[in-house]
Each structure stands twice: as structure tokens, then as C-alpha cells.
């Protein structure tokens, strides 16, 4: 069984040769699913992208007439650099995919290449099946956590 | 909703600091940021107005380390406290795994505390959450000020659910990590074991 992260990575990684941009996919709640430039900014990029997308969705919900929010794209750009976002649905959940680019000679082409990713992501034919043997994963992940374990966790954090 | 990746053994959780305006939500996060080693934190994002009030949210990603083989990653968010940012607060609550309600202990802010708590309950309900089922910790902030409500009154008025509560002075860090530790533990214990 493959994870969502793995499946999406297998789709986007090969496109990086032709798309000269930072590509990423986030869940609605801002959790990173994929980032082609994984570094210390990854979590922040995901949180901001999620916020921007959700705010835009809410705004269109107030004033728009198109109920299908998967039709929308979001751009924040100059003639050579910017951000381009779209959302897609996979396995019943919605995700936001986007590109951050700079020093781009042909942003129109880049946006088209990025939008072509949408159809790739929405028609994933990689066998994606949930683990049927969930018996071992019923209930909660942790039945108990000691205070000592929590202290250890936060010691690592520098406190 | 927390995200558990069983392949990479990673847990991602979203914790939201909620409460009335100027109650100290951002100060909590800032203190955590200052006291956390650089290896364990990402960039802190603050989306403020010109006069330093939270406009959309603050965000701090924390990579704390492993617990029973799972790498834990906490995403801390604050909501804007000012009444007219209700729409933003609703957005930030989406996918929440745990809540810290930062109450302002000052007598004159009790009404604002109650209004914020009622708003939280309503906003959670709109998104299908039952406030009594979401891990939550109360923080009585600003305990160093002279005009404060006794803890018993805060408990009586704001903590009907008898949630864990901590006294705090976020400006000097008192109670900040105790609160975070408690909500983190509650969130981890609430993670469903099945596949995401």
C-alpha cells in the first residue's frame, strides 16, 4: 500500500525537470503532503497556502455563483515571479497544489504546465487502497503516555 | 484532524490558541518560539495589522522529537481575537486537533472571555465538532495583574467542562509550557489509531 504522500510525489517529481518552480501540495488544514524544496520554510509555506486558499474560498462563497470551488485558480504574480494555486480532489479529500516561481521568462507556459498537473492528480490510477487490516489500528494510537515521556519530548524542544 | 503517516512514522497535529482580543495568545506562541531550540522549530509566521494585532493568524511549527517511534510535529496557530474577525477564526478552526483557550484574568475582560468561549462553541458546532469532545486546556492568563478575577470564579464561569486549567503570565513564560505540554498530551492521546 502506498501513502498519499508517496503517490503524489511519484506524480510530481518527474515534472520537476520541465517545470522550473517550487511545487507543493498541502492538505486543507495546512499539513504538507509534498514540497519539491523541502527546507525550514516548508511548514510555513503550507500553512500560508492553506490560509490563502481557504480565505479565497470563503470569499467566493460570499460573492460567487460558481459552487464548484475546484474550478478556481489563484494567482499572485508579476510578469516574472509569483504564486499560482489550484485545488484538487483525491480519495474524497481536497488538497491545494501550487507553484512558486521567480525569474520566469514565460509565466503563461509555466501556469499551463502547472494546471496540467491538476488532471494528473485528479486521475491518479495508481492502486490506492486503504489498508484492509485495520484490526490492529482500531481505537487510539496511544493508550497512555506518561508525564516522563512528555517531559522528554519537550526537553528536546529546548525547554 | 491529525495526520498520521504510518510509512514515515510521523504525526502532525494542529493546536489552536483561542480567546478574546489582547488576551495573550500571540504572546504564548512568541514565548514558545523564543525558548525552543532552532533545531526544533520552523519559521514563525505572523500576519498582523499595522498596530501589531493579529490579522489572520500566527503560526509556529514545532518538531519536538519522537514518542514511541513516531516523530511528532505540532502546528501551533492563534486566531485573531478581535470580534469582527469571526470569519477568520472559523477558517483557522478547520481541522483542529486541540484547543487552548487563553482567558484574560482581568475583571473587566470577563464578558469578553465569555463571548469568546460562546463563539468558540458555536464555531466548532458549525464545523461538526462537539466542544466537549475536542481536547482542550484552559489558561488563566495575566495572573500578575492587580485587578484579576479569583481562579475559583474563572473555573465557575468559564470551565463548566472541568478541563485542565493553568494559571499563566505569558509575558514571562509562567504556565506557557505547562499549558502546551498538557494540550499536546491530550491531543496525542486522542489520535485515532486507524489509517487517516
Amino acid at each position: 500500500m502506498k501513502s498519499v504522500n508517496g503517490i503524489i510525489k511519484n506524480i510530481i517529481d518527474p515534472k520537476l525537470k520541465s517545470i522550473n518552480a517550487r511545487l507543493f501540495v498541502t492538505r486543507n488544514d495546512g499539513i504538507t503532503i509534498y514540497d519539491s524544496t523541502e527546507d525550514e520554510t516548508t511548514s510555513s509555506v503550507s500553512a500560508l497556502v492553506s490560509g490563502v486558499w481557504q480565505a479565497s474560498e470563503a470569499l467566493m462563497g460570499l460573492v460567487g455563483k460558481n459552487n464548484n470551488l475546484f474550478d478556481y485558480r489563484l494567482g499572485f504574480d508579476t510578469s516574472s515571479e509569483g504564486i499560482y494555486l489550484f485545488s484538487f480532489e483525491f480519495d474524497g479529500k481536497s488538497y491545494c497544489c501550487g507553484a512558486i516561481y521567480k525569474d520566469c521568462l514565460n509565466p503563461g507556459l509555466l501556469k499551463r504546465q502547472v494546471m496540467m498537473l491538476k488532471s494528473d492528480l485528479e486521475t491518479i490510477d495508481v492502486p490506492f487502497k486503504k489498508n484492509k487490516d485495520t484490526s490492529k489500528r482500531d481505537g487510539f494510537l496511544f493508550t497512555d503516555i506518561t508525564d516522563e515521556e512528555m517531559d522528554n519530548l519537550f526537553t528536546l524542544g529546548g525547554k | 484532524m491529525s495526520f498520521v503517516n504510518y510509512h514515515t512514522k510521523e504525526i502532525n497535529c494542529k493546536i489552536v490558541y483561542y480567546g478574546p482580543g489582547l488576551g495573550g495568545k500571540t504572546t504564548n506562541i512568541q514565548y514558545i518560539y523564543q525558548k525552543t531550540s532552532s533545531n526544533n522549530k520552523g519559521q514563525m509566521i505572523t500576519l498582523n495589522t499595522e498596530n501589531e494585532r493579529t490579522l489572520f493568524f500566527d503560526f509556529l511549527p514545532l518538531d519536538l522529537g519522537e514518542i514511541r517511534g513516531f516523530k511528532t510535529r505540532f502546528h501551533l496557530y492563534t486566531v485573531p481575537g478581535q470580534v469582527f474577525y469571526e470569519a477568520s477564526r472559523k477558517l483557522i478552526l478547520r481541522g483542529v486537533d486541540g484547543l487552548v483557550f487563553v482567558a484574560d484574568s482581568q475583571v473587566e475582560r470577563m464578558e469578553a472571555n465569555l463571548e469568546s468561549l460562546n463563539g468558540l462553541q458555536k464555531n466548532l458546532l458549525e464545523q461538526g465538532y462537539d466542544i466537549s469532545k475536542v481536547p482542550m486546556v484552559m489558561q488563566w492568563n495575566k495572573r500578575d495583574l492587580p485587578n484579576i478575577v479569583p481562579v475559583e470564579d474563572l473555573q465557575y464561569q468559564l470551565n463548566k467542562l472541568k478541563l485542565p486549567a493553568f494559571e499563566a503570565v505569558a509575558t514571562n513564560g509562567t504556565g506557557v509550557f505547562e499549558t502546551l505540554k498538557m494540550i499536546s498530551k491530550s491531543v496525542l492521546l486522542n489520535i485515532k489509531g486507524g489509517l487517516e
Side-chain angles (χ1 to χ4, degrees):
Chain A
M1 195 204 71
K2 282 192 166 185
S3 66
V4 179
N5 305 48
I7 292 168
I8 286 175
K9 181 175 166 58
N10 285 346
I11 290 171
I12 299 182
D13 271 354
K15 312 282 184 190
L16 291 171
K17 290 175 196 158
S18 56
I19 303 176
N20 186 21
R22 177 176 182 169
L23 299 175
F24 49 84
V25 174
T26 73
R27 291 190 352 157
N28 256 3
D29 54 9
I31 289 171
T32 310
I33 296 296
Y34 173 87
D35 184 1
S36 64
T37 313
E38 236 176 272
D39 60 17
E40 72 282 356
T41 65
T42 293
S43 295
S44 303
V45 166
S46 296
L48 286 170
V49 162
S50 165
V52 163
W53 187 266
Q54 287 188 42
S56 305
E57 267 191 0
L59 194 57
M60 285 313 295
L62 291 177
V63 300
K65 287 183 180 163
N66 187 350
N67 291 326
N68 187 4
L69 292 165
F70 291 108
D71 288 345
Y72 286 95
R73 293 96 63 190
L74 185 66
F76 184 76
D77 52 12
T78 67
S79 57
S80 64
E81 65 179 35
I83 303 166
Y84 190 63
L85 306 173
F86 64 84
S87 72
F88 67 97
E89 195 170 18
F90 172 56
D91 195 39
K93 294 191 175 71
S94 62
Y95 298 86
C96 188
C97 177
I100 298 175
Y101 58 93
K102 53 188 174 182
D103 301 326
C104 181
L105 291 175
N106 192 344
L109 173 64
L110 186 136
K111 285 179 188 176
R112 198 170 69 82
Q113 289 173 318
V114 172
M115 274 310 284
M116 285 169 70
L117 264 178
K118 183 180 168 87
S119 54
D120 292 339
L121 289 165
E122 283 183 327
T123 54
I124 291 168
D125 59 358
V126 178
F128 178 74
K129 53 179 180 160
K130 290 197 187 307
N131 191 347
K132 300 295 180 197
D133 181 18
T134 54
S135 56
K136 290 176 193 165
R137 289 176 178 166
D138 280 347
F140 295 97
L141 184 61
F142 303 111
T143 48
D144 67 306
I145 295 172
T146 64
D147 289 340
E148 194 182 351
E149 284 176 300
M150 288 310 292
D151 287 340
N152 288 339
L153 201 59
F154 277 85
T155 305
L156 285 167
K159 169 66 182 169
Chain B
M1 186 171 53
S2 56
F3 180 60
V4 182
N5 189 329
Y6 286 94
H7 298 269
T8 54
K9 296 211 114 189
E10 278 183 11
I11 299 169
N12 291 269
C13 302
K14 178 176 181 176
I15 294 172
V16 176
Y17 284 69
Y18 203 100
L22 293 173
K25 301 176 290 298
T26 300
T27 311
N28 264 269
I29 299 256
Q30 282 171 338
Y31 186 82
I32 293 162
Y33 179 78
Q34 286 162 13
K35 295 293 177 184
T36 304
S37 70
S38 54
N39 293 336
N40 300 102
K41 67 187 177 192
Q43 273 189 342
M44 183 169 168
I45 300 290
T46 54
L47 302 176
N48 285 345
T49 62
E50 281 175 10
N51 51 355
E52 303 275 305
R53 301 295 302 276
T54 304
L55 173 65
F56 195 178
F57 58 76
D58 303 306
F59 170 74
L60 174 60
L62 289 179
D63 289 341
L64 289 179
E66 287 190 4
I67 191 155
R68 300 190 192 173
F70 281 88
K71 192 177 172 192
T72 56
R73 186 171 289 156
F74 291 96
H75 289 180
L76 311 186
Y77 287 81
T78 68
V79 297
Q82 288 172 282
V83 175
F84 49 86
Y85 290 131
E86 188 71 352
S88 302
R89 280 191 289 277
K90 286 182 190 177
L91 292 180
I92 292 153
L93 283 175
R94 284 189 190 172
V96 65
D97 295 304
L99 285 155
V100 174
F101 187 85
V102 181
D104 189 328
S105 294
Q106 297 177 93
V107 173
E108 63 269 26
R109 297 298 288 160
M110 276 310 285
E111 203 173 318
N113 288 330
L114 282 163
E115 190 182 355
S116 179
L117 191 59
N118 289 335
L120 171 62
Q121 187 166 3
K122 184 169 151 277
N123 290 338
L124 286 172
L125 205 58
E126 272 182 31
Q127 295 180 48
Y129 295 100
D130 177 349
I131 194 168
S132 65
K133 295 199 173 124
V134 181
M136 187 164 155
V137 170
M138 306 298 282
Q139 185 186 80
W140 316 132
N141 195 22
K142 307 196 185 184
R143 298 306 295 171
D144 57 331
L145 297 184
N147 54 336
I148 53 173
V149 178
V151 169
E152 299 73 36
D153 291 359
L154 288 163
Q155 289 281 11
Y156 179 73
Q157 292 195 60
L158 299 172
N159 198 5
K160 308 275 188 207
L161 294 170
K162 308 238 181 290
L163 300 165
F166 294 88
E167 293 185 55
V169 182
T171 46
N172 67 21
T174 303
V176 169
F177 272 94
E178 288 81 353
T179 307
L180 176 61
K181 214 182 280 187
M182 178 55 79
I183 190 61
S184 304
K185 185 177 178 180
S186 303
V187 165
L188 289 172
L189 285 171
N190 196 50
I191 294 173
K192 298 286 187 295
L195 274 178
E196 177 266 340

